Amino acid sequence: MGTQVSDDDKYHSNNVDERTAEEKAIDAWLPITSSRNAKWWYSAFHNVTAMVGAGVLSLPFAMSELGWGPGVTVLIISWIVTLYTLWQMVEMHEMVPGKRFDRYHELGQHAFGEKLGLWIVVPQQLIVEVGVDIVYMVTGGKSLKKFHDLVRPDGKKIKLTYFIMIFSSVHFVLSHLPNFNSISGVSLAAAVMSLSYSTIAWGASADKGVQKDVQYGYIATTTAGTVFNFFSALGDVAFAYAGHNVVLEIQATIPSTPEKPSKVPMWRGVIVAYIVVALCYFPVALIGYWMFGNKVDDNILITLEKPIWLIAMANLFVVVHVIGSYQIYAMPVFDMIETVLVKKLKFKPSWYLRFISRNIYVGFTMFVAISFPFFGGLLGFFGGFAFAPTTYFLPCIMWLAIYKPRKFSLSWWTNWICIILGILLMIVAPIGALRQIILQAKDYQFYS
């Protein structure tokens, strides 16, 4: 703790720190502001963990719904646009001298005003973070189940419900790690895993070679079906690139002085993370689709069936990665919950306050995951409303509001193009997802 205070004091010496002793104590207790001594490579693997979801495994399927041309285009454009908006967020973290926007909504409040900023950012951020956590509960449970079914094909069938419970038991322990730096080990493991199972996915596909009767046409027989599939695939690809909700929170853990602002190490970490993301996404999407065409399943590991030991291993890797991702997305939520409890409701910052509130949160996500395992479709639906803005165009709108670039200058055009693309995405993705939910929910039994 000692080093951190001196850093903060250096930073505030030229502009008086307005926080009272009590506020300082609270900031030192809250998860996001508590430890500011992260290295640049922490930001690299936190970003990889936040960004590379298990969604990478459904990319070949998304490709099959988009086709070669549009598919490749969407993959590349999404990569560029999100890297640009990520750069904006990193730049805006410290644009006011002596102040750091440690949380997404603090930046929102600066751009749109105290009240409005909260109402624009917080609901979207909560939908994304809680939504992702629920989806990861389902993904973790499903991957554990697949592992079990592969290793003991003739064994007793165990319900998905129980696997989700087994998976969530890990989080009842891990969620009590106080802040981002304390989960950096979990996060590093997760980042390594995401590279590993992506490599298994495309390596095993390449090994199988192009299938004899491979076809690259659209699967749907009707025009409407093709269009809807196209929409939902756009959503899938777009949300594969959604790590922006936790960017400022990750950057908040990096130390900063006027001479050495945090954006330098953070940006280095982001670049490394984006190279890793490209190495995970592009080979899986392209090789997976190239080998299996439109016969590919929505999870490439299912298509690959054999060799069993390799696919079983890949499923376990997915589990480890999802454990890390869950924690990364949960941390800002814990921060919000604890801020409300301590600042609004005047609770004393204590370990049992944290213990109770975090256990309730994990329990809640587990319960929803068990009740609605077709939540992936739901995420496409909610995600369309919340992922697209927070990742694709909120940073651009904030940039325009704060820096007010000249009309028709390069910066002005870039931002408006991103905003328009983002809004189209926000309209189109939920439509495709809604249809998938309806198709899946038809034959669904509760707690089966």
Side-chain angles (χ1 to χ4, degrees):
M1 278 302 287
T3 54
Q4 175 212 341
V5 178
S6 61
D7 262 356
D8 264 357
D9 288 347
K10 273 209 302 267
Y11 194 68
H12 288 294
S13 55
N14 34 9
N15 25 42
V16 183
D17 191 350
E18 287 117 21
R19 300 177 300 170
T20 61
E22 191 190 7
E23 283 178 333
K24 274 187 178 165
I26 289 177
D27 274 346
W29 182 77
L30 287 172
I32 283 168
T33 38
S34 62
S35 69
R36 291 205 193 274
N37 50 7
K39 310 277 184 283
W40 71 266
W41 56 85
Y42 284 21
S43 80
F45 47 73
H46 282 324
N47 272 312
V48 170
T49 306
M51 187 148 307
V52 182
V56 60
L57 299 172
S58 66
L59 283 177
F61 181 69
M63 284 287 297
S64 74
E65 294 183 326
L66 291 166
W68 275 121
V72 176
T73 316
V74 171
L75 272 177
I76 292 171
I77 288 180
S78 300
W79 193 82
I80 294 168
V81 170
T82 52
L83 184 57
Y84 171 65
T85 53
L86 200 50
W87 172 78
Q88 289 180 315
M89 307 259 308
V90 172
E91 284 290 312
M92 289 191 284
H93 177 71
E94 295 180 292
M95 62 200 173
V96 180
K99 189 165 166 35
R100 296 181 67 173
F101 297 114
D102 293 323
R103 301 167 179 87
Y104 206 141
H105 64 86
E106 289 173 16
L107 184 58
Q109 285 171 301
H110 180 72
F112 307 122
E114 287 293 311
K115 270 266 155 43
L116 186 64
L118 269 182
W119 282 104
I120 290 178
V121 177
V122 172
Q124 302 201 23
Q125 210 183 354
L126 276 176
I127 287 176
V128 171
E129 283 158 0
V130 181
V132 164
D133 276 349
I134 294 168
V135 170
Y136 282 159
M137 278 277 181
V138 179
T139 311
K142 280 188 174 162
S143 299
L144 274 175
K145 185 168 164 43
K146 280 203 207 83
F147 176 77
H148 173 264
D149 295 349
L150 281 164
V151 177
R152 303 230 13 225
D154 48 353
K156 184 169 163 282
K157 287 278 171 276
I158 302 176
K159 283 185 189 174
L160 179 62
T161 306
Y162 298 128
F163 281 110
I164 295 177
M165 286 177 174
I166 295 167
F167 178 74
S168 63
S169 64
V170 181
H171 294 296
F172 280 113
V173 178
L174 283 183
S175 60
H176 299 294
L177 291 169
N179 54 37
F180 264 127
N181 284 355
S182 59
I183 58 172
S184 56
V186 181
S187 180
L188 173 64
V192 173
M193 290 303 154
S194 57
L195 250 178
S196 313
Y197 68 72
S198 301
T199 311
I200 290 180
W202 68 259
S205 302
D207 183 59
K208 288 218 159 165
V210 181
Q211 301 298 303
K212 285 190 192 64
D213 48 352
V214 69
Q215 290 167 339
Y216 298 112
Y218 291 126
I219 314 161
T221 41
T222 58
T223 319
T226 308
V227 174
F228 277 124
N229 284 349
F230 193 88
F231 283 177
S232 69
L234 275 180
D236 287 350
V237 173
F239 309 143
Y241 291 101
H244 291 43
N245 291 283
V246 287
V247 169
L248 294 173
E249 286 84 349
I250 293 169
Q251 191 169 350
T253 61
I254 296 179
S256 183
T257 55
E259 301 81 58
K260 282 196 278 199
S262 64
K263 66 183 181 194
V264 182
M266 179 67 185
W267 183 235
R268 190 183 301 161
V270 168
I271 294 283
V272 172
Y274 255 73
I275 292 170
V276 173
V277 167
L279 289 176
C280 286
Y281 283 12
F282 292 106
V284 174
L286 303 176
I287 296 176
Y289 181 43
W290 183 25
M291 298 305 157
F292 301 109
N294 58 21
K295 290 214 170 44
V296 73
D297 288 278
D298 61 356
N299 178 341
I300 181 105
L301 293 181
I302 299 175
T303 320
L304 286 167
E305 283 163 356
K306 295 184 171 47
I308 287 181
W309 63 271
L310 189 67
I311 306 307
M313 201 164 74
N315 275 309
L316 271 192
F317 287 173
V318 174
V319 172
V320 175
H321 173 211
V322 171
I323 290 175
S325 298
Y326 182 95
Q327 291 303 324
I328 292 261
Y329 278 96
M331 202 52 79
V333 182
F334 294 152
D335 185 83
M336 282 187 208
I337 296 172
E338 286 161 23
T339 304
V340 171
L341 288 173
V342 172
K343 290 188 176 172
K344 276 272 189 319
L345 306 174
K346 299 289 183 237
F347 278 96
K348 269 180 85 85
S350 58
W351 70 267
Y352 48 88
L353 178 70
R354 195 167 259 177
F355 183 76
I356 294 165
S357 61
R358 293 188 176 192
N359 275 343
I360 290 172
Y361 175 77
V362 176
F364 166 75
T365 51
M366 176 183 84
F367 179 70
V368 178
I370 291 171
S371 307
F372 309 106
F374 53 85
F375 200 82
L378 290 176
L379 185 73
F381 182 65
F382 288 122
F385 294 128
F387 268 130
T390 49
T391 307
Y392 284 79
F393 63 86
L394 258 183
C396 298
I397 294 175
M398 290 178 186
W399 189 271
L400 289 173
I402 292 165
Y403 288 105
K404 304 189 173 58
R406 249 190 15 263
K407 263 196 181 155
F408 308 117
S409 61
L410 180 66
S411 164
W412 189 88
W413 274 114
T414 320
N415 285 310
W416 275 108
I417 290 169
C418 292
I419 291 171
I420 291 162
L421 286 174
I423 289 176
L424 285 173
L425 229 168
M426 184 173 86
I427 297 165
V428 157
I431 299 174
L434 187 63
R435 177 163 171 274
Q436 287 203 320
I437 296 171
I438 294 167
L439 294 177
Q440 284 174 337
K442 262 193 251 173
D443 47 4
Y444 173 70
Q445 286 103 22
F446 269 98
Y447 307 117
S448 57

